[in-house]
Amino acid sequence: GECGVPTAKRFRAPITKQGNYTSNGVFWYAYTFGLVRTIMISSEHDLSRGSPQHTWLQHELKSVNRTTTPFVIVESHRPLYHSEPFWADNAVGIAMRAEFEDLLRKYRVDIFFAGHYHSYLRTCDGLYASKCHNGGPLHITVGTAGAQLDDTNLGLYDNVWTQRYLGVWGYIRATVHNSSSMLLEFVNARNGSLEDSVWLRRRRRDEISQQ
């Protein structure tokens, strides 16, 4: 659950420590796999400006070498953007945006993965301040690992960012083709069929020149 206690008692996460900036077990940490730097954060801990987690996140994003790890992914239990009409949960996402969405844009995060909602939702690319193609990341909610799915008959509230929404069990398959191209596919867990796919393409020369 959101408390994370069973996970914290059973698993260990990579430890990252640079000066006064230290990860926090399974709650916030970072690791590198191939061309991707993945940063895990905890939506259930304080993420307000000046908090230990916010300070660590900013330092971690600033420290990424975009030459060796051109793709940067941030993952959280709760999403910043979702479209199901659960207003209390949506309020948390809005509050998270107010605290650190600027960092995602400033450090050119490519993807923000989340769960919490038991459904699949993909936004437009470049989402920032509720506007598409505005310098932010692509947001994907994939909370479809096996728990009871959300009722898709409730519909979605009106917004400009929702590109794909599904109520089926499945998982994301990410294929990094090179430093500027990644293919994301949502695979149906029941029959292996492809339910959604999107190419993520970036102009890396421009990003490296900004470092």
Side-chain angles (χ1 to χ4, degrees):
E2 281 81 353
C3 67
V5 172
T7 301
K9 295 297 184 180
R10 291 172 172 81
F11 297 95
R12 293 184 178 182
I15 298 173
T16 55
K17 184 174 183 179
Q18 299 181 34
N20 296 324
Y21 306 100
T22 307
S23 57
N24 183 22
V26 300
F27 298 111
W28 58 87
Y29 61 93
Y31 64 94
T32 295
F33 187 84
L35 298 175
V36 181
R37 183 67 172 172
T38 299
I39 300 172
M40 309 292 298
I41 61 174
S42 172
S43 56
E44 312 313 302
H45 288 75
D46 188 0
L47 269 163
S48 61
R49 301 169 193 267
S51 67
Q53 185 176 193
H54 189 282
T55 302
W56 174 86
L57 173 61
Q58 184 171 15
H59 177 76
E60 185 64 40
L61 288 169
K62 185 178 181 180
S63 301
V64 175
N65 185 328
R66 300 303 284 262
T67 301
T68 57
T69 51
F71 283 103
V72 176
I73 296 174
V74 174
E75 297 188 23
S76 162
H77 173 71
R78 295 177 188 261
L80 273 67
Y81 292 90
H82 202 77
S83 306
E84 293 179 5
F86 298 121
W87 307 121
D89 288 319
N90 288 329
V92 176
I94 293 170
M96 290 169 65
R97 289 182 229 165
E99 297 296 347
F100 67 89
E101 187 180 22
D102 288 348
L103 294 181
L104 305 182
R105 186 191 198 198
K106 179 178 181 180
Y107 295 106
R108 307 181 305 281
V109 171
D110 295 293
I111 307 168
F112 192 96
F113 280 126
H116 188 67
Y117 298 86
H118 295 173
S119 58
Y120 170 83
L121 186 140
R122 172 173 58 82
T123 72
C124 54
D125 194 11
L127 183 56
Y128 172 75
S130 301
K131 296 180 181 178
C132 297
H133 312 295
N134 195 30
L138 171 71
H139 292 258
I140 295 181
T141 298
V142 54
T144 52
Q148 181 176 344
L149 297 169
D150 291 345
D151 184 1
T152 56
N153 291 322
L154 293 175
L156 305 176
Y157 67 84
D158 188 42
N159 61 70
V160 299
W161 62 70
T162 301
Q163 296 289 300
R164 191 81 163 102
Y165 172 69
L166 295 165
V168 298
W169 286 297
Y171 58 91
I172 282 286
R173 180 169 60 205
T175 306
V176 180
H177 285 258
N178 51 49
S179 63
S180 60
S181 299
M182 179 189 295
L183 176 62
L184 299 168
E185 300 171 300
F186 181 65
V187 182
N188 187 310
R190 285 187 178 275
N191 56 29
S193 63
L194 195 61
E195 299 284 350
D196 186 39
S197 65
V198 61
W199 278 96
L200 201 64
R201 303 187 190 277
R202 296 290 186 257
R203 297 179 61 181
R204 296 302 181 193
R205 182 175 301 176
D206 294 343
E207 292 186 347
I208 293 172
S209 67
Q210 295 176 27
Q211 288 188 337

